[in-house]
Amino acid sequence: MQTSEKIHPDQIESESVSIYRDIGPYKGYEWKDKYVMIHGEHGNLTVKLVTPDIVKISCSLERKSAQLEPSMGVLPFEPLGGWHVIELDNELELYGGNIVLVVDIAALSFKVETSQGKPCGSYLLSCSETRLRCQGSMDDDAMIYGLGETTGYLNKRGERYTMWNSDVFDPHVPDMESLYQSIPLLIHHTSDNTFGLFIDNPGKTVIDLREEADRYFVETVNGDMELYLIAGPELKDVVANYSALTGKMPLPPLWSLGYQQSRFSYMNQGEVIRLAHHFRFKKIPCDVIYLDIHYMDEYKVFTFDKERFSDPAGMMRELKELGFRIVPIVDPGVKVQHGYEIYEQGLEAGRFCQTPAGKEYVGDVWPGPSVFPDFTEEGTREWWGALHRFYVDYGISGIWNDMNEPSVFNSPTKTMDEDVIHGNDGNPKTHGEMHNVYGLLMSQATYEGMAKLLQGERPFVLTRAGYAGIQRYAAVWTGDNRSYWDHMRMSMSMGLNLGLSGVAFSGADIGGFMHHASGELLARWTQLGVFTPFCRNHSAIDTRNQEPWTFNDEVEEICRKYIELRYRMLPYLYSLFYESTCIGLPIMRPLVLEYPKDRNTYHLSDQFLFGKDLLVAPIYEPGKQHRVVYLPEGIWFDYWTGTRYEGSTHIITYAPLDVLPLFVRAGAILPQAQLVQHTGQANWKELDIHLYAQGNDNTFALYEDDGISDQHLQGTYNLIRIHTEQKGTDRRFTIHAAFEVCGLRQADKSILFTTHHLSFIPKSVSQVSEVHEMKHLEERSSGWYYDKQDNHLYIKKQLAGLQGVEFIVEG
């Protein structure tokens, strides 16, 4: 424990101040086939066009080439040609794609704008003897979003962060500069323009948005800097363009979207099987149980403890019959032990990271002295991936990568020494230069290895550490949080900025990992957690258990109610995941993403959108039963009561313990399915599609496939386009639904359209006949019924492939 002695004046050393100078003045330029190289007195710039809306500007110190290779976080690209260069007395102007770059000849500073005149920032590069610094401008009214998994609020202005993946077991607080993920993306947003800056540096990068009011500073320690300027002009444009640069997530298996239960640790297979049976007995839906490090023999990866888990194959068979998946933890540290096959294989083939003296680097982790695979080598990634046959042979298709910053217990820096050497496929670099991509490359090895071994089944990988582009291989959870109400609140802004930073599949440990959850906290956090893309309850050894039934009947029923709601909404959620794989937008969205000109949304960190149609406003303080909710423009309905609200206003909503404040946008189309206990039972042949009227024209793309294979990549999926229309106060409401893609052969689909809040009483519905009781509609394959008391219109119809239906409701 630290005391006030830590801040004794005599113990505080002043930081050494580096002397910075401009990299200019300008000395000339070279116009190559697809790039322009600009030479300065103290540094060089290389300008490449990645896409018409993304320009890469590489900078290196004098006497070093600025022909820098992108990190593994960026997708391979071939630069676009067609630069046009104009050399003026005081400026060098470059035109390419949709980008205009104006370079000041005196300092070699530059500004970027689009060909439409939208600014993308002004930048001054400076250098010390070994470091590069970029000073970027901030408009007075600008918000800064992004930066992935960082503490604090949604807007990052006024904060300082160090991009250096770190195993942080201390309580996560707003002044913590480093966590497990490093995604150096800054999104500069104002009401009329948005642009992004991505700093591609796998080594240590400091981003200071605190030092000056109107500018920020980015500093790298290795004398190189790669900047990607990403044009908007809309916030959604920047997020989509960044996803095009670093990749979009692949579609995960449907089971990974279900509720998941974990603990450090479920200690033996008997406890795991009892847990699974208890979920089914309690009728609380669940798909996944995690195995933490105690399942292993002496914490050695790719092993089972023969006493605790004496019959893993039998355990897997029983769990499969119950509809459960197992996801085991796999860490990078390989125990140093002669006779241990994984260690012997890696040693013989030279798979482990080396010290400068050419010896295997050894550091302590859970198994004790351990060596670490060098994932910068393609051969090592292939070797590591193939080792997962150990798990696949047991029927396991999901892996949990932890401790992959990498964490090292006995190191002063708590990670590998910075002078450790990575082979990097023939281009050796130090760990200090590659640190932040270690977790990314481990996740790549795991994902690609599992994909090969599963032979057509989609793998699921969960990771703690990562870098830009991690979404291509793994979902992300936000690490060792605590059972604090403030950590629940902070998990929202962390998830929202991860989503803006390309990581759509993320979530926090529901209930908190360390400390001791209360029943009230678990109930409230479960309400929040079922509306995050990754939904897992996880707690630490020696803390109070926090499975849904742990506290009392009321808490259990609340957890059941909201977990059931998630399972009913799986068609909606799965469709959002599919959309994200196509265009890169997040599933859990800050309101500013959908309402970028509404200043009331700019700082909102404690409510969010689930897709564009559901507004989630959790209670995150103990004893609270009311909270202020901001409803943006349009009409909104309370999900539970149906109360109608005009938007662009704040309301106070009443939310006793069993109520999550949840609002639906007028015009929303929310497909739901029948309740199941696990996704293996999911059958969307019968759908209840909820339509919320009073929202003019609206469209939703309902996606479905087999939920597990990669056949969707060959077109084996269905996409049903649902469209509703009501013009102004017309007493006519139109519903249209048709298969846009029908590659998944199925029997006819029965759809019940439930329309809420019609502005008129319906007198007729085309194509179907009226019935006078709801039970009659339930017995028939088609028809319509209007419930006057609830103002619900029900229309039932079969939908066959390659056919469509259209209903015209008139009053």
Side-chain angles (χ1 to χ4, degrees):
M1 181 180 73
Q2 293 183 355
T3 67
S4 298
E5 183 184 12
K6 177 72 176 178
I7 56 172
H8 191 292
D10 294 342
Q11 293 184 229
I12 298 175
E13 297 180 4
S14 299
E15 293 184 6
S16 58
V17 178
S18 298
I19 304 300
Y20 285 89
R21 58 189 177 187
D22 298 339
I23 65 170
Y26 169 74
K27 293 174 64 178
Y29 78 92
E30 297 178 65
W31 192 352
K32 304 293 185 178
D33 180 31
K34 292 186 177 181
Y35 64 91
V36 178
M37 183 174 288
I38 303 170
H39 301 286
E41 183 72 24
H42 304 294
N44 301 310
L45 300 178
T46 298
V47 183
K48 295 181 179 179
L49 200 61
V50 182
T51 73
D53 296 306
I54 303 175
V55 61
K56 175 187 175 184
I57 302 172
S58 306
C59 181
S60 288
L61 296 180
E62 183 188 8
R63 297 181 299 278
K64 290 181 67 177
S65 170
Q67 274 283 69
L68 305 177
E69 290 298 318
S71 77
M72 294 80 166
V74 174
L75 291 175
F77 66 89
E78 180 65 28
L80 303 179
W83 281 109
H84 181 58
V85 182
I86 301 175
E87 196 169 11
L88 303 173
D89 290 341
N90 300 317
E91 294 178 338
L92 189 69
E93 296 181 353
L94 290 81
Y95 299 84
N98 191 36
I99 299 295
V100 179
L101 176 68
V102 180
V103 181
D104 175 71
I105 284 178
L108 235 59
S109 61
F110 57 89
K111 63 180 180 181
V112 180
E113 60 184 35
T114 69
S115 55
Q116 293 79 34
K118 291 288 187 180
C120 296
S122 299
Y123 306 90
L124 172 64
L125 292 167
S126 56
C127 62
S128 65
E129 292 301 317
T130 59
R131 299 187 175 209
L132 267 172
R133 198 180 205 194
C134 175
Q135 174 183 305
S137 60
M138 288 191 291
D139 292 344
D140 291 343
D141 60 343
M143 304 294 111
I144 303 294
Y145 304 129
L147 285 171
E149 180 193 77
T150 46
T151 58
Y153 292 93
L154 181 67
N155 180 20
K156 296 305 176 185
R157 192 162 184 163
E159 302 294 343
R160 183 182 191 272
Y161 298 102
T162 299
M163 298 286 105
W164 185 256
N165 291 356
S166 302
D167 176 3
V168 181
F169 189 66
D170 291 335
H172 303 166
V173 294
D175 64 353
M176 194 161 280
E177 291 193 7
S178 302
L179 279 177
Y180 317 93
Q181 298 265 337
S182 294
I183 305 179
L185 169 70
L186 299 172
I187 300 176
H188 182 285
H189 174 71
T190 62
S191 59
D192 60 356
N193 185 43
T194 308
F195 61 89
L197 172 68
F198 171 54
I199 307 102
D200 187 19
N201 179 41
K204 187 172 291 185
T205 303
V206 176
I207 300 175
D208 192 332
L209 301 107
R210 179 191 303 154
E211 187 173 328
E212 300 285 348
D214 60 349
R215 53 190 169 174
Y216 58 84
F217 298 90
V218 177
E219 184 176 275
T220 59
V221 300
N222 62 358
D224 294 327
M225 187 176 288
E226 291 196 70
L227 306 175
Y228 290 82
L229 275 300
I230 305 168
E234 299 294 334
L235 180 53
K236 282 186 176 181
D237 296 333
V238 173
V239 175
N241 286 335
Y242 172 77
S243 294
L245 178 68
T246 60
K248 305 174 186 71
M249 71 170 174
L251 190 65
L254 181 62
W255 60 262
S256 67
L257 275 58
Y259 176 77
Q260 309 186 25
Q261 186 65 51
S262 184
R263 183 164 172 83
F264 172 45
S265 289
Y266 294 120
M267 301 299 290
N268 56 64
Q269 73 180 56
E271 186 178 9
V272 171
I273 291 172
R274 286 192 299 273
L275 177 73
H277 278 283
H278 210 58
F279 267 103
R280 298 296 177 246
F281 172 73
K282 290 285 189 179
K283 296 191 182 303
I284 299 175
C286 184
D287 267 82
V288 184
I289 296 173
Y290 282 74
L291 299 183
D292 214 313
I293 60 174
H294 291 92
Y295 82 89
M296 292 181 275
D297 175 20
E298 297 181 332
Y299 310 126
K300 292 181 291 190
V301 289
F302 307 102
T303 68
F304 273 101
D305 184 293
K306 291 183 173 58
E307 292 185 5
R308 289 187 171 129
F309 292 83
S310 58
D311 183 16
M315 178 184 74
M316 299 300 175
R317 284 195 299 270
E318 185 168 352
L319 291 172
K320 184 178 180 181
E321 290 174 2
L322 291 168
F324 280 92
R325 301 271 178 165
I326 283 291
V327 174
I329 199 167
V330 179
D331 296 340
V334 175
K335 185 177 179 65
V336 175
Q337 184 182 78
H338 292 290
Y340 171 34
E341 184 179 5
I342 310 302
Y343 173 70
E344 297 283 9
Q345 280 184 20
L347 198 64
E348 181 178 357
R351 300 298 184 197
F352 301 122
C353 296
Q354 305 281 307
T355 68
K359 303 291 185 181
E360 282 71 33
Y361 171 81
V362 178
D364 274 2
V365 214
W366 299 120
S370 303
V371 288
F372 298 83
D374 183 0
F375 293 116
T376 67
E377 297 272 19
E378 183 178 2
T380 299
R381 294 195 299 273
E382 291 178 350
W383 167 71
W384 187 261
L387 292 175
H388 288 77
R389 179 169 293 282
F390 174 82
Y391 298 107
V392 171
D393 286 348
Y394 284 115
I396 291 171
S397 52
I399 298 294
W400 172 19
N401 286 162
D402 194 11
M403 309 295 286
N404 54 341
E405 291 74 32
S407 178
V408 178
F409 294 161
N410 63 335
S411 164
T413 63
K414 303 304 178 186
T415 190
M416 278 197 280
D417 296 343
E418 292 189 30
D419 62 356
V420 165
I421 303 299
H422 292 289
N424 198 31
D425 286 332
N427 181 24
K429 292 190 176 182
T430 66
H431 185 70
E433 295 174 288
M434 303 288 285
H435 172 78
N436 288 337
V437 294
Y438 191 86
L440 168 73
L441 296 177
M442 181 186 184
S443 297
Q444 179 186 359
T446 304
Y447 180 85
E448 292 178 347
M450 292 288 288
K452 288 180 183 178
L453 292 166
L454 288 169
Q455 298 182 332
E457 182 181 344
R458 284 174 249 168
F460 168 71
V461 178
L462 178 68
T463 186
R464 187 169 76 175
Y467 182 67
I470 188 62
Q471 65 271 9
R472 304 199 302 266
Y473 309 114
V476 169
W477 101 102
T478 56
D480 295 342
N481 63 357
R482 305 215 168 192
S483 299
Y484 299 164
W485 287 93
D486 195 53
H487 278 202
M488 177 184 167
R489 178 202 58 76
M490 192 164 61
S491 73
M492 287 184 266
S493 54
M494 293 172 79
L496 294 173
N497 271 318
L498 276 165
L500 294 178
S501 305
V503 184
F505 199 178
S506 73
D509 286 339
I510 293 173
F513 177 67
M514 282 299 298
H515 197 50
H516 303 278
S518 66
E520 182 187 10
L521 176 63
L522 180 64
R524 290 300 195 189
W525 208 324
T526 302
Q527 292 169 351
L528 162 62
V530 300
F531 287 101
T532 58
F534 177 64
C535 180
R536 181 183 75 160
N537 177 319
H538 183 46
S539 57
I541 198 167
D542 293 332
T543 65
R544 186 175 186 177
N545 277 63
Q546 57 189 41
E547 292 78 21
W549 53 79
T550 302
F551 295 92
N552 56 46
D553 291 345
E554 181 187 22
V555 170
E556 178 183 329
E557 182 53 37
I558 291 169
C559 292
R560 180 185 294 107
K561 170 184 173 180
Y562 284 91
I563 294 170
E564 287 179 347
L565 179 60
R566 182 180 177 95
Y567 276 74
R568 288 194 181 97
M569 286 193 172
L570 278 174
Y572 177 70
L573 176 57
Y574 201 38
S575 299
L576 294 179
F577 267 83
Y578 171 73
E579 179 189 51
S580 184
T581 67
C582 294
I583 60 178
L585 293 182
I587 294 149
M588 178 182 180
R589 302 177 183 179
L591 272 69
V592 67
L593 188 66
E594 295 292 340
Y595 303 92
K597 297 186 183 303
D598 184 348
R599 294 182 181 276
N600 288 311
T601 69
Y602 287 8
H603 290 279
L604 277 180
S605 300
D606 64 349
Q607 60 180 79
F608 59 91
L609 294 167
F610 198 57
K612 70 180 189 320
D613 290 329
L614 283 173
L615 191 154
V616 186
I619 300 287
Y620 54 89
E621 292 180 308
K624 287 288 187 72
Q625 293 193 339
H626 295 82
R627 68 156 290 173
V628 174
V629 179
Y630 179 69
L631 299 176
E633 66 180 351
I635 298 169
W636 295 84
F637 299 101
D638 186 303
Y639 180 84
W640 308 108
T641 67
T643 303
R644 183 183 188 275
Y645 296 95
E646 292 285 347
S648 299
T649 189
H650 292 84
I651 65 168
I652 297 178
T653 186
Y654 173 57
L657 185 58
D658 66 333
V659 175
L660 166 71
L662 185 63
F663 300 87
V664 188
R665 185 184 62 84
I669 299 171
L670 301 180
Q672 295 190 17
Q674 301 298 309
L675 177 65
V676 294
Q677 292 301 300
H678 59 87
T679 58
Q681 299 173 331
N683 185 338
W684 297 350
K685 293 180 181 178
E686 296 183 5
L687 288 171
D688 188 358
I689 299 179
H690 292 260
L691 311 174
Y692 287 78
Q694 305 181 39
N696 298 321
D697 290 10
N698 290 279
T699 300
F700 186 84
L702 172 60
Y703 176 84
E704 63 175 340
D705 58 22
D706 64 17
I708 193 168
S709 80
D710 60 8
Q711 289 302 301
H712 64 289
L713 299 174
Q714 282 73 51
T716 308
Y717 66 90
N718 291 340
L719 196 66
I720 301 174
R721 186 74 60 178
I722 304 162
H723 179 76
T724 64
E725 181 179 351
Q726 182 179 10
K727 294 182 178 179
T729 58
D730 284 359
R731 301 174 68 84
R732 172 182 286 203
F733 182 67
T734 303
I735 306 166
H736 180 82
F739 281 88
E740 190 170 290
V741 179
C742 189
L744 186 67
R745 299 301 174 190
Q746 287 185 338
D748 292 355
K749 189 180 297 295
S750 177
I751 298 182
L752 178 66
F753 293 95
T754 302
T755 304
H756 303 250
H757 311 294
L758 269 177
S759 58
F760 58 89
I761 296 175
K763 293 181 179 179
S764 66
V765 179
S766 65
Q767 294 198 27
V768 289
S769 302
E770 183 181 9
V771 299
H772 298 288
E773 292 187 44
M774 188 63 188
K775 65 179 182 180
H776 295 156
L777 187 61
E778 293 169 353
E779 296 166 354
R780 299 176 58 172
S781 61
S782 69
W784 70 274
Y785 170 73
Y786 178 64
D787 186 326
K788 296 179 181 179
Q789 183 174 352
D790 293 334
N791 189 18
H792 286 171
L793 171 65
Y794 301 93
I795 305 173
K796 190 175 183 181
K797 185 72 173 177
Q798 299 289 109
L799 183 65
L802 303 180
Q803 297 180 10
V805 295
E806 183 174 80
F807 308 105
I808 299 174
V809 182
E810 294 188 291

